[in-house]
Amino acid sequence: MAQKDIQFTMLAKDKSGARRGEFTTHHGSVQTPAFMPVGTAGYVHSTPAKDVEESGSQVLLANTYHLSLGDRLASVKYVGGLHRFMGWNQTILTDSGGFQVFSLPDRVISDEGVTFSYEEEGERVQLTPERSMEIQRDLGADIVMAFDECVSHTADRKYVEESLALTTAWARRCRASALQEHQFLFGIVQGGIYDDLRRKSAKEITSIPFDGFAIGGVSVGEGFDLMRRVVSVTAPCLPEDLPRYLMGVGLPEDILEAVHQGMDMFDCVIPTRYARQGTLFTRMGKLRIKNKNFRKDRYPLDTHCSCYTCRTFSRMVLRYLFFSGDPLAETLATIHNLTFYQDLMTDIRVAIEENRFESFKREWLERYRKNR
Ligand code: PRF
Ligand code: ZN
């Protein structure tokens, strides 16, 4: 049976180029620009899915690599798929493993795929495009990602050229693999920091009938200006009428910039990881809750935030909880940071609908940076 379309509807386009859209998966609709919290191994650290839902999140990301290790895949299948495993009934996207595997020190890449060992002195495991698709089919996410090689921003031209040929060949093999009927498949553009190679990769990947397209290989330590350039070169090469996903991005300022360049989807560990470390986002900038300034501070983290944490606790109490070492501190902090990110995405969407994204971005950043 023919696969159905992702039905990406463009609801508004701002004069800056920012896009406001909506697409529908088997598990509901997703408003774009969208931010996806990361639940790498099938859970968002320290935080029940109901709280992630309450933050306004509509999509979660999980990882093929982590969910394929040991007997985890069997467990996911045994409970009836990733949605049940995560206790999440909205949209899920799984990443292909391409990114995680390429940060392993002992990986070996060939045309076939990548081999690595996941435990010291453990057996070597092979991940191929076909195997990644098979795992992602079994996990049952609504959106699955092609298997790619994420190249370092310091890789030389020759390496990037060869790598992108491999990523294109792998993308074709992914598209040819069987998925569940409800699953959408996104292709990933690579090409390092070379403008012409980015265009070449985009041309090759977009010639394959994917349901959406991602820009990979950014936010790997290259810095804001290089990332901005790569996105500004690559985004215009992607089809207008399908979702565009910038992988692994980022800080609020990175997301604002990429939305400006016409990107629709984002994921990043920053809000959740920073929360667990006691770095909290506010409309007036980031704050380190363990700082002694907050010892007698009876204000909420952010007076404009209506999350459970801000409704209930003051900064001084949160600081106390962090020093107590109880996991409750991490949970409350994660609830706040995710709500902060989703509030930003909501404000971005409204600004685009009202055709005032550029002034919104400028004013938002001005306020956010004032206290630095
Ligand atoms: N490829 C894949 N996943 C990713 C990336 C990539 O390049 C990135 C790059 N920041 C994050 N996650 N498959
Ligand atoms: Zn809050």
Side-chain angles (χ1 to χ4, degrees):
M1 196 172 135
Q3 227 220 338
K4 64 180 195 315
D5 278 350
I6 193 159
Q7 289 179 356
F8 181 64
T9 309
M10 189 76 76
L11 299 172
K13 221 180 143 177
D14 181 90
K15 53 183 183 276
S16 68
R19 297 141 55 95
R20 163 79 179 95
E22 179 183 39
F23 63 84
T24 306
T25 73
H26 195 59
H27 288 88
S29 79
V30 176
Q31 304 304 312
T32 66
F35 180 80
M36 307 184 276
V38 178
T40 300
Y43 54 90
V44 176
H45 286 285
S46 313
T47 312
K50 71 167 178 48
D51 293 315
V52 177
E53 181 160 352
E54 203 169 294
S55 74
S57 306
Q58 295 184 314
V59 204
L60 281 192
L61 179 140
N63 277 303
T64 297
Y65 169 70
H66 298 85
L67 288 165
S68 66
L69 300 179
D71 58 7
R72 290 179 190 174
L73 182 59
S75 299
V76 173
K77 284 166 79 172
Y78 196 68
V79 299
L82 197 50
H83 289 85
R84 287 207 184 142
F85 192 86
M86 299 185 81
W88 179 261
N89 210 21
Q90 301 187 81
T91 299
I92 300 176
L93 179 148
T94 45
D95 196 0
S96 54
F99 183 59
Q100 286 71 33
V101 168
F102 289 107
S103 55
L104 299 176
D106 65 344
R107 70 192 195 280
V108 178
I109 307 170
S110 69
D111 288 353
E112 192 49 34
V114 192
T115 56
F116 56 92
S117 40
Y118 82 82
E119 277 171 341
E120 261 176 68
E121 297 171 39
E123 234 180 289
R124 286 188 77 78
V125 183
Q126 188 178 42
L127 205 51
T128 62
E130 289 78 13
R131 180 65 189 139
S132 174
M133 290 300 106
E134 184 179 52
I135 297 166
Q136 293 190 78
R137 184 192 63 201
D138 287 352
L139 291 170
D142 305 282
I143 302 172
V144 316
M145 300 303 297
F147 188 67
D148 61 325
E149 180 182 4
C150 174
V151 288
S152 159
H153 68 101
T154 57
D156 65 34
R157 210 191 137 80
K158 186 165 174 299
Y159 186 93
V160 177
E161 226 167 343
E162 287 171 11
S163 167
L164 99 76
L166 200 58
T167 287
T168 298
W170 287 356
R172 294 205 177 94
R173 282 160 58 186
C174 288
R175 186 68 283 188
S177 301
L179 291 170
Q180 293 189 49
E181 209 175 280
H182 74 272
Q183 294 185 300
F184 296 119
L185 176 61
F186 283 20
I188 305 175
V189 174
Q190 293 287 346
I193 55 162
Y194 304 96
D195 293 0
D196 59 323
L197 297 184
R198 280 283 167 183
R199 289 192 196 96
K200 181 169 193 258
S201 178
K203 193 165 175 219
E204 292 177 4
I205 297 295
T206 59
S207 75
I208 305 167
F210 286 112
D211 303 296
F213 293 94
I215 300 178
V218 299
S219 199
V220 288
E222 74 280 19
F224 180 85
D225 293 327
L226 255 183
M227 177 170 89
R228 184 178 189 277
R229 203 184 80 208
V230 168
V231 175
S232 72
V233 166
T234 314
C237 304
L238 303 179
E240 277 278 322
D241 59 348
L242 290 172
R244 302 167 171 180
Y245 165 25
L246 186 61
M247 307 191 81
V249 172
L251 287 165
E253 48 269 45
D254 302 330
I255 292 175
L256 283 163
E257 185 54 42
V259 165
H260 200 159
Q261 307 285 348
M263 300 303 293
D264 307 307
M265 296 164 68
F266 306 90
D267 82 90
C268 193
V269 297
I270 280 178
T272 44
R273 180 172 294 165
Y274 279 22
R276 299 196 302 283
Q277 297 166 350
T279 298
L280 287 316
F281 288 91
T282 84
R283 284 154 181 79
M284 311 287 276
K286 294 193 284 287
L287 61 80
R288 299 266 319 139
I289 195 64
K290 292 190 186 175
N291 195 307
K292 63 174 180 302
N293 302 345
F294 304 120
R295 210 176 44 213
K296 286 193 165 176
D297 190 330
R298 287 185 292 193
Y299 283 98
L301 286 172
D302 183 330
T303 48
H304 287 85
C305 182
S306 56
C307 81
Y308 169 74
T309 305
C310 290
R311 289 197 317 269
T312 315
F313 299 102
S314 61
R315 292 168 173 176
M316 59 188 284
V317 175
L318 284 167
R319 181 173 183 276
Y320 161 80
L321 291 172
F322 262 98
F323 279 111
S324 78
D326 194 90
L328 176 61
E330 296 186 355
T331 305
L332 294 172
T334 304
I335 287 172
H336 169 76
N337 273 1
L338 285 180
T339 304
F340 176 86
Y341 261 64
Q342 298 302 351
D343 284 355
L344 170 61
M345 301 317 291
T346 300
D347 292 347
I348 286 173
R349 291 191 294 262
V350 172
I352 299 171
E353 283 165 14
E354 296 175 354
N355 202 20
R356 53 174 178 82
F357 177 73
E358 225 160 333
S359 60
F360 165 79
K361 176 186 166 198
R362 189 179 348 100
E363 286 157 20
W364 195 96
L365 287 172
E366 216 166 277
R367 172 151 80 161
Y368 183 73
R369 286 172 170 160
K370 201 146 75 189
N371 296 315
R372 279 207 304 200

